[in-house]
């Protein structure tokens, strides 16, 4: 049965935000003036609500094609190489010679805090005109990372087109949530089978104090299902009829950057394998645990088989409510 699951086919387009992350581990403080300081590790990884999710989906056995924009620069060369090394088809990523590739620098402090410097770059220049819709035919899923960059009407148009081709659709916002952002992307929600934010984004988008109540409001706005991550408290799966709590798993945390993208990938892959919503969310939490235990979404050598094995034996964290 497990081998059959490993062979289950999933062909997915990840559309939108692609970022080159540079992680700096062991940052005690920013040096004064022009002084320097030694750190433990500096590492680059492919990231973003489309790029990072696509990378993890590829590790989990999906056939992944990336759609988005990068610059015509060395950062793009690095980002594309990192994605291609993981088996992601990058041929649909367009180069914008008047924009730099989107990039982040993430200094990770010894206590685990991870502030970031970010440049939007070419992600802000990506439009539907850059996407060859004929390349979506024959796929099974479309995941739109960062619908706020396209805007709700364009995002809704893309998702509706994908649904018309028979694809399952999902979205994940990148920006912090606020009511203006919800209004900006509202046209996309009725065409999204799954919306995959974190709890803080849900509270910000809706103004609610309870993540479950906020998620229900997004369902009422048209989303088929809202699956929100809550860090060490796992995930909530909210539909028109149910609210399901799914716990996180114990892991020695190194860096939580990219865990949300990894959860999205694990959840979507779980659905493609025939799992129910709670089972898919459990696979999402197990996948996020692999990323939390390393540096970047591509840390380590996890794949679908190892994540399923982890899921069979891992201990859940006791804090699941609140």
């Amino acid at each position: 049965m497990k081998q059959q699951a490993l062979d289950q086919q999933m062909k997915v387009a990840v559309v939108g935000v692609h970022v080159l992350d540079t992680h700096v581990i062991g940052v005690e403080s920013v040096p004064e003036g022009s002084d320097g300081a030694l750190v433990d590790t500096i590492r680059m990884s492919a990231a973003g609500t489309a790029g990072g999710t696509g990378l993890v989906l590829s590790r989990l056995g999906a056939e992944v094609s990336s759609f988005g924009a990068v610059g015509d620069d060395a950062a793009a060369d690095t980002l594309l190489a990192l994605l291609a090394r993981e088996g992601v088809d990058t041929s649909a990523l367009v180069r914008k010679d008047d924009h730099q590739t989107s990039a982040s620098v993430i200094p990770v402090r010894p206590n685990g805090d991870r502030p970031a410097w970010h440049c939007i770059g070419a992600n802000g220049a990506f439009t539907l005109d850059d996407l060859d819709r004929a390349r979506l035919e024959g796929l099974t899923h479309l995941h739109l990372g960062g619908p706020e960059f396209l805007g709700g009407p364009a995002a809704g148009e893309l998702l509706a087109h994908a649904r018309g081709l028979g694809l399952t659709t999902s979205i994940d916002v990148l920006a912090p949530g606020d009511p203006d952002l919800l209004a900006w992307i509202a046209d996309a929600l009725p065409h999204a089978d799954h919306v995959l934010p974190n709890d803080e984004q849900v509270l910000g988008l809706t103004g609610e104090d309870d993540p479950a109540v906020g998620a229900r409001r997004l369902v009422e706005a048209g989303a088929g299902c809202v699956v929100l991550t809550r860090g060490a408290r796992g995930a909530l799966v909210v539909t028109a009829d149910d609210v399901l709590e799914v716990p996180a798993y114990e892991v020695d945390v190194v860096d939580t950057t990219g865990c949300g993208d990894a959860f999205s990938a694990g959840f979507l892959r779980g659905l493609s394998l025939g799992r129910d919503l709670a089972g898919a969310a459990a696979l999402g939490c197990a996948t996020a645990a692999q990323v939390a235990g390393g540096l970047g979404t591509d840390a380590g050598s996890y794949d679908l088989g190892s994540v399923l094995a982890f899921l069979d034996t891992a201990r859940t964290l006791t804090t699941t409510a609140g």
Side-chain angles (χ1 to χ4, degrees), residues 17-33:
V17 174
H18 289 73
V19 182
L20 179 65
D21 275 358
T22 300
H23 310 264
V24 185
I25 306 301
V27 176
E28 299 281 355
S29 64
V30 177
E32 298 290 336

Side-chain angles (χ1 to χ4, degrees), residues 195-278:
V195 179
L196 301 161
N198 62 43
D199 52 357
E200 292 183 356
Q201 288 171 324
V202 169
L203 297 179
L205 288 169
T206 63
E208 299 288 351
D209 296 325
D210 184 326
V213 175
R216 183 62 57 79
R217 281 192 54 190
L218 297 180
V219 171
E220 292 169 352
C225 170
V226 176
V227 187
L228 59 99
T229 55
R230 303 188 298 164
R233 288 182 291 178
L236 282 181
V237 180
V238 180
T239 68
D241 301 317
D242 293 306
V243 176
L244 307 172
E245 292 193 27
V246 178
Y249 294 95
E250 290 186 0
V251 66
D252 292 330
V253 175
V254 174
D255 177 29
T256 59
T257 306
C259 284
D261 300 330
F263 174 88
S264 295
F267 173 77
L268 295 172
R269 187 66 173 120
L271 292 178
S272 78
L273 297 172
R275 289 174 171 258
D276 61 15
L277 290 171

Side-chain angles (χ1 to χ4, degrees), residues 16 39 54 108 125 166 188 194 211 223 242 257 261 311 319:
V39 295
V108 181
H194 305 97
D242 293 306
T257 306
D261 300 330
L311 191 59
T319 302

Side-chain angles (χ1 to χ4, degrees), residues 295-310:
L295 189 56
T297 51
D298 57 349
S301 58
Y302 64 89
D303 58 15
L304 180 58
S306 64
V307 177
L308 289 172
F310 172 86

Side-chain angles (χ1 to χ4, degrees), residues 7-298:
D7 294 337
Q8 184 73 33
Q9 189 176 49
M10 180 186 190
K11 296 182 178 181
V12 56
V14 291
V15 182
V17 174
H18 289 73
V19 182
L20 179 65
D21 275 358
T22 300
H23 310 264
V24 185
I25 306 301
V27 176
E28 299 281 355
S29 64
V30 177
E32 298 290 336
S34 298
D35 292 344
L38 294 177
V39 295
D40 298 333
T41 304
I42 298 176
R43 187 175 187 274
M44 292 182 176
S45 62
T49 45
T53 303
L55 185 154
V56 180
L57 277 166
S58 184
R59 284 208 172 180
L60 298 180
E63 184 178 319
V64 182
S65 298
S66 273
F67 295 79
V70 296
D72 189 16
D73 53 16
D77 296 340
T78 301
L79 177 56
L80 268 61
L82 290 170
L83 289 170
R85 187 168 69 181
E86 297 290 343
V88 176
D89 180 355
T90 64
S91 61
L93 285 171
V94 298
R95 290 195 182 239
K96 303 280 189 177
D97 58 12
D98 52 346
H99 291 80
Q100 79 153 77
T101 298
S102 179
S104 295
V105 176
I106 304 168
V108 181
R109 299 187 178 116
N111 68 356
D113 288 347
R114 50 184 185 97
W117 293 284
H118 179 67
C119 179
I120 292 174
N123 284 326
F126 178 66
T127 71
L128 289 187
D129 291 337
D130 295 314
L131 191 152
D132 181 1
R133 299 189 190 191
R135 299 188 65 159
L136 301 180
E137 296 178 8
L139 303 183
T140 61
H141 294 70
L142 184 144
H143 177 70
L144 175 58
E148 63 268 33
F149 288 89
L150 285 177
E157 178 184 339
L158 174 61
L159 295 169
H161 177 76
R163 270 185 164 179
L165 295 174
L167 279 66
T168 299
T169 59
S170 56
I171 62 174
D172 180 13
V173 296
L174 180 65
D178 64 56
D180 289 338
L181 177 61
L182 178 58
W184 179 245
I185 66 170
D187 288 346
L189 295 180
H191 307 288
D193 296 312
H194 305 97
V195 179
L196 301 161
N198 62 43
D199 52 357
E200 292 183 356
Q201 288 171 324
V202 169
L203 297 179
L205 288 169
T206 63
E208 299 288 351
D209 296 325
D210 184 326
V213 175
R216 183 62 57 79
R217 281 192 54 190
L218 297 180
V219 171
E220 292 169 352
C225 170
V226 176
V227 187
L228 59 99
T229 55
R230 303 188 298 164
R233 288 182 291 178
L236 282 181
V237 180
V238 180
T239 68
D241 301 317
D242 293 306
V243 176
L244 307 172
E245 292 193 27
V246 178
Y249 294 95
E250 290 186 0
V251 66
D252 292 330
V253 175
V254 174
D255 177 29
T256 59
T257 306
C259 284
D261 300 330
F263 174 88
S264 295
F267 173 77
L268 295 172
R269 187 66 173 120
L271 292 178
S272 78
L273 297 172
R275 289 174 171 258
D276 61 15
L277 290 171
L283 184 59
C285 288
T287 306
Q290 313 309 303
V291 171
L295 189 56
T297 51
D298 57 349

